[in-house]
Amino acid sequence: MLLSIFNTLEPVEAAAAVRPAVDVDRWVDAVVDGRPYASREALLAHAAQIPAFTDQEIAAALAHHPRIGEKPKGDSAEAELSRSEQAGVGVDRDAQLAQKLAEGNAAYEARFDRVFLIRAAGRSVPEILENLERRLGQDEATENAEVADQLAQIALLRLEGIVEADAAGDTRSHITTHVLDTGTGRPASGVKVTLEANTDSGWQEIGRGETDDDGRIKNLGPTEVAIGHYRCTFDTGAYYGSKGTETFFPAVVIEFTVADALAHYHVPLLISPFAYSTYRGS
Ligand code: 2AL
């Protein structure tokens, strides 16, 4: 949702829009009451300074968080956000690690009597396991403070995904793309692209989009993905079909490696009806 729309919604509608970020009335009300926001940065800065979640609020909010490594069920906005956050982690890519995670989750639940919560976006399974082991050794008060912080991080990342900047270019996914039609020398707009991660159970879609007037997709999937193999599939057949142009390529599939979880990956496609190329952009 665009920030300008969020700014003008009735309070009850604005609250419904942001509640999937975290189901805590005090947080939702503070975000809604802070409107209007001059920019997305102002919104995020306002949300970032909301006082920490209390133990009671944590207990209520955790009811909506599935275990790490377990696919959230249903088609609620929260389940979709959670799926997207967990998709980049790559639990499906390694059965042994998945087993360790299941054991760690069980140990955590036995010790603290609640789901182990961690901001999943941008983290790999080994990193999550390391945190899990460290946190199992913490006393209750320290651990409660850490859960409150993780919940706040998740809420902020979700809010970032829910409210888009009005000025294009402000919100960017970890992997972006750009399609240039080298036959016309123009950006290729309206090209459908899917982004998939290579998991233990095969390729799994983690994002999709359509190139804008400038040939770009700035929001192709999660804002952070884990190290691993990914692929983009460009529906070049439909693109050329819509122009009545014959092409040799019904689709173009580009497979690539994300080797640095913190670096930005830009995967451009330069396409003509009978040749294409790509490169690692940034
Ligand atoms: C989650 C979740 O659903 N998203 C996230 O970042 N962490 N769940 C969890 N148990 O930590």
Side-chain angles (χ1 to χ4, degrees), residues 190-195 205 207-211 217 219-221 233:
V191 180
K192 292 192 169 65
V193 184
T194 56
L195 172 66
E205 184 175 313
R208 60 167 59 220
E210 191 170 318
T211 54
I217 305 178
N219 284 299
L220 184 63
T233 302

Side-chain angles (χ1 to χ4, degrees), residues 6 9 24-25 33 48 66 94 113 127 147 152 159 170-171 178 182 184 189 201 213 215 221 225 259 267 277-278 282:
F6 178 65
L9 287 177
V24 171
D25 285 338
D33 294 347
D94 190 322
D113 198 24
E127 208 180 326
V147 176
L159 185 63
D170 207 357
T171 61
H178 186 194
T182 54
T184 60
S189 66
S201 46
D213 287 347
V225 300
V267 185
S277 66
T278 184
S282 59

Side-chain angles (χ1 to χ4, degrees), residues 6 18 21-22 26-35 37 39-53 148-149 151-160 163:
F6 178 65
V18 297
V22 61
R26 181 176 62 85
W27 189 93
V28 170
D29 291 345
V31 169
V32 170
D33 294 347
R35 298 176 306 158
Y37 297 100
S39 66
R40 192 156 157 275
E41 285 68 34
L43 161 69
L44 297 175
H46 180 84
Q49 55 74 49
I50 296 171
F53 296 115
D149 178 56
L151 194 59
Q153 286 189 31
I154 295 170
L156 272 184
L157 282 172
R158 288 185 175 186
L159 185 63
E160 221 179 310
V163 182

Side-chain angles (χ1 to χ4, degrees), residues 112 114 134-135 137-148:
F112 292 107
R114 64 174 173 230
R134 176 183 57 76
R135 285 171 53 184
Q138 281 183 160
D139 64 68
E140 191 134 355
T142 312
E143 175 56 16
N144 286 353
E146 186 147 356
V147 176

Side-chain angles (χ1 to χ4, degrees), residues 65-66 68 82 85-86 115-120 154 158:
H65 284 277
I68 280 286
S82 178
E85 288 150 8
Q86 296 215 31
V115 156
F116 169 67
L117 183 84
I118 186 164
R119 184 256 304 151
I154 295 170
R158 288 185 175 186

Side-chain angles (χ1 to χ4, degrees), residues 205-275:
E205 184 175 313
I206 59 169
R208 60 167 59 220
E210 191 170 318
T211 54
D212 62 16
D213 287 347
D214 198 26
R216 295 177 186 279
I217 305 178
K218 299 183 187 94
N219 284 299
L220 184 63
T223 49
E224 292 176 67
V225 300
I227 286 168
H229 290 168
Y230 296 86
R231 74 179 180 196
C232 283
T233 302
F234 298 80
D235 191 353
T236 46
Y239 170 72
Y240 280 116
S242 72
K243 300 192 171 317
T245 304
E246 191 194 339
T247 179
F248 191 47
F249 306 114
V252 170
V253 182
I254 299 174
E255 202 173 321
F256 54 96
T257 302
V258 168
D260 179 349
L262 296 179
H264 182 73
Y265 282 78
H266 188 57
V267 185
L269 173 67
L270 311 173
I271 180 96
S272 77
F274 300 103

